[in-house]
Amino acid sequence: MLAKIDLCKGRVHALALGLSLALAGCAVGPDYHRPTPPAAQGYTEEGVPSTTASAPGASGQAQRFEPGVDIPGQWWTLFRSQPLNGLIDDALKHNPDAAAAQAALRAAWENVRAQRGFYLPAVNGSVDPTRQKIAGTLASPAQSGATFYDLTTAQVSVSYTPDVWGANRRTVESLVAQADAQRFQLEATYLTLTSNLVNAAVQEASLRAQIAATQDMIDSQSKILEASKKQLGLGDVSESDVAAQEATLEQTRAGLPPLHKQLALQRDVLAVLSGRTPDQDVSAHFSLDSLQLPQDLPLTLPARLVEQRPDVRVADAQLHAACAQVGVAFAARLPNINITASWGSATDQMHTLFGSGTGFWNIGTAITMPLFDGGTLKHKQRAAEATYKQAAEQYRSTVLSALQNVADTLHALQSDAEAMAATARAEKAAAHSFAIAQKQYAVGDISMVALLNAQVTYRQAELALVQARASRYADTVALFQALGGGWWNRHDVAVAR
């Protein structure tokens, strides 16, 4: 019993010494400070106008930029498509990339918790029963003097390394930063997933409209060819005119299979992104008229953008982790303290284990310091410092790319809005020309071929307008993605921790 009391006193003194050293110690290495936000006040040299150009007809309304307005968490709902909303909700639950990113985040936080365990002493218990034979030329350690005897040893061992220089604190700090990086990698996965789904829906809608317009052109050109052949029989046109018309028809027909192929590929994309196999049906089908172009567009200031872009936050967390690793490498070059203690019982008869006279204990402290290692630890510290510098430059590069991404998207929104306005005017002019041709044909002023040519021109302008409409939708998706996607306002998915 006295041995037990002495052991307890010794353990208390050792733990008190270790805790006092740990609390008095410092965390060596640089303390992390987030980089200063960019000083830029805008994204383009000429500034961003308050609105884009407008065009008559569907999807032609002007879009307004609203600086400082927050992005909704479910930004895709601004396109006012219930099938799209349902498909994205389904994808967030079943997409394997999102599930993998969630698992990676859980693993990162488990590593943090595992490392935090080193703040506390490690306690291990063991029982070691053995059967031994001592050589006859040696004295038996057993009290009975027997050559054959059993020995059972049971003990509890305690080991504790005070975090005097903050090596463990810096390691935990680095792992927490890595978990933060994985958190924002998960947000980037969600943003990429939702953006790809909306883009795929827009592309499907565009392809369906292009297929319809192309088929109308084929029908018109087929009628022109038939009329040309009749005129050839009457001698009104030459054979070369008929051949040219036939070549034009076949060229238009050749453009139809690639459009069908692209539509099939987009359906595969929608299936796989939503967690289905390509042979499974996706009930949602999209047309441009079923999507509404958002008119009010948020525009985050550059200083705020670095807080909202997942890729910038990943780079920031990686920079933090690299900073903490400098402290870990520095601490490895300093003296280290390890406190150990054990208490147990050893006996040659199992039933007397923990009996009187069988107990033993020990307690000790070891201080170690690297004296010579061929420069290994010094160069590891220098490598950690160089990695920190590399992470700082990678963060700067990521910020510049983010600003460029927003600027490029703003240019695209402006240019494609103007392009659609011009295309809409061309489509309107072609429609007017076709209407005049119809009236002229009704009174016999022009031939059927002239009427059908006017119709083909109109269908070509209609096809160009479809592509221009799709570009405006895609540009809008790109802006929401470039600004970070509003993940900070989203509550539709749980984030593991």
Side-chain angles (χ1 to χ4, degrees):
M1 180 61 72
L2 289 176
K4 292 181 181 179
I5 293 174
D6 290 340
L7 173 63
C8 290
K9 289 181 178 179
R11 291 174 63 188
V12 169
H13 288 315
L15 288 174
L17 173 63
L19 290 173
S20 64
L21 287 172
L23 293 173
C26 60
V28 297
D31 292 326
Y32 182 69
H33 299 284
R34 180 172 291 181
T36 304
Q41 298 300 312
Y43 294 101
T44 61
E45 185 177 358
E46 64 278 6
V48 180
S50 58
T51 62
T52 65
S54 62
S59 309
Q61 62 268 34
Q63 292 179 293
R64 295 182 294 272
F65 296 107
E66 299 186 332
V69 173
D70 206 3
I71 303 172
Q74 295 176 307
W75 55 268
W76 54 88
T77 60
L78 298 177
F79 290 90
R80 309 298 180 191
S81 171
Q82 287 302 323
L84 178 60
N85 296 343
L87 192 63
I88 290 180
D89 290 343
D90 200 32
L92 291 173
K93 296 174 184 176
H94 302 106
N95 181 268
D97 291 334
Q102 278 275 15
L105 179 57
R106 288 194 296 271
W109 278 112
E110 291 302 330
N111 285 332
V112 171
R113 296 183 183 100
Q115 190 66 37
R116 283 173 176 163
F118 289 109
Y119 285 133
L120 303 174
V123 181
N124 295 291
S126 65
V127 177
D128 183 19
T130 60
R131 174 71 172 169
Q132 302 186 28
K133 177 185 181 301
I134 301 300
T137 57
L138 301 176
S140 172
Q143 186 176 10
S144 63
T147 303
F148 288 93
Y149 65 93
D150 295 325
L151 178 64
T152 301
T153 302
Q155 67 175 342
V156 175
S157 301
V158 180
S159 177
Y160 179 58
T161 302
D163 196 20
V164 179
W165 308 112
N168 194 55
R169 273 172 284 174
R170 291 301 192 195
T171 302
V172 170
E173 181 184 353
S174 178
L175 289 172
V176 169
Q178 292 176 42
D180 287 339
Q182 193 57 57
R183 155 75 192 285
F184 291 110
Q185 190 60 56
L186 172 62
E187 298 298 350
T189 300
Y190 284 142
L191 180 55
T192 300
L193 173 61
T194 52
S195 299
N196 286 346
L197 272 168
V198 179
N199 276 325
V202 170
Q203 187 65 13
E204 178 189 329
S206 173
L207 288 167
R208 291 188 185 281
Q210 290 180 59
I211 288 171
T214 302
Q215 187 59 59
D216 287 341
M217 280 196 296
I218 291 173
D219 294 341
S220 297
Q221 290 172 350
S222 297
K223 292 177 181 178
I224 292 174
L225 180 59
E226 291 175 6
S228 297
K229 289 179 178 179
K230 291 179 181 179
Q231 290 178 326
L232 176 63
L234 298 174
D236 292 339
V237 298
S238 67
E239 188 173 352
S240 61
D241 292 333
V242 176
Q245 186 59 48
E246 190 170 7
T248 300
L249 172 61
E250 294 305 324
Q251 186 176 12
T252 305
R253 282 177 174 165
L256 198 55
L259 292 175
H260 282 293
K261 182 189 79 170
Q262 292 178 51
L263 178 59
L265 294 179
Q266 289 304 313
R267 297 298 295 174
D268 291 343
V269 168
L270 290 171
V272 171
L273 288 178
S274 59
R276 298 174 173 86
T277 56
D279 63 317
Q280 292 180 303
D281 178 57
V282 177
S283 59
H285 292 79
F286 302 99
S287 66
L288 289 177
D289 290 336
S290 70
L291 301 172
Q292 180 175 313
L293 185 70
Q295 289 185 260
D296 298 324
L297 300 179
L299 187 58
T300 304
L301 296 176
R304 183 64 177 162
L305 184 69
V306 297
E307 299 287 335
Q308 297 179 350
R309 287 268 300 210
D311 57 341
V312 176
R313 296 298 297 270
V314 168
D316 175 41
Q318 291 172 339
L319 178 60
H320 190 172
C323 177
Q325 284 299 319
V326 174
V328 174
F330 188 7
R333 302 178 65 187
L334 301 174
N336 199 17
I337 299 174
N338 184 252
I339 302 170
T340 58
S342 63
W343 173 84
S345 174
T347 179
D348 59 355
Q349 297 181 14
M350 181 68 74
H351 68 276
T352 62
L353 194 63
F354 299 109
S356 177
T358 65
F360 65 88
W361 63 268
N362 67 72
I363 187 170
T365 301
I367 301 177
T368 60
M369 179 177 180
L371 299 177
F372 178 76
D373 61 3
T376 298
L377 295 178
K378 176 183 70 176
H379 291 295
K380 283 186 175 181
Q381 181 181 341
R382 290 181 179 178
E385 291 168 348
T387 301
Y388 182 31
K389 175 65 174 176
Q390 176 191 14
E393 294 303 324
Q394 289 174 336
Y395 173 84
R396 180 169 172 268
S397 175
T398 304
V399 170
L400 291 175
S401 296
L403 295 174
Q404 179 189 354
N405 188 199
V406 177
D408 291 347
T409 304
L410 292 173
H411 287 309
L413 282 163
Q414 291 289 346
S415 297
D416 288 343
E418 293 171 358
M420 182 177 172
T423 304
R425 289 193 296 269
E427 190 268 348
K428 183 178 180 181
H432 182 60
S433 176
F434 178 48
I436 293 174
Q438 286 177 309
K439 293 178 181 178
Q440 290 177 325
Y441 178 76
V443 297
D445 287 346
I446 61 173
S447 66
M448 171 65 76
V449 173
L451 173 64
L452 293 175
N453 280 329
Q455 185 180 16
V456 168
T457 301
Y458 168 60
R459 295 302 182 191
Q460 289 173 335
E462 190 179 42
L463 181 61
L465 184 59
V466 166
Q467 295 170 335
R469 290 180 65 188
S471 294
R472 295 200 72 191
Y473 283 108
D475 293 340
T476 304
V477 175
L479 179 64
F480 284 115
Q481 186 175 16
L483 295 177
W487 55 266
W488 54 95
N489 291 324
R490 197 183 66 246
H491 306 289
D492 55 321
V493 290
V495 177
R497 185 181 177 100

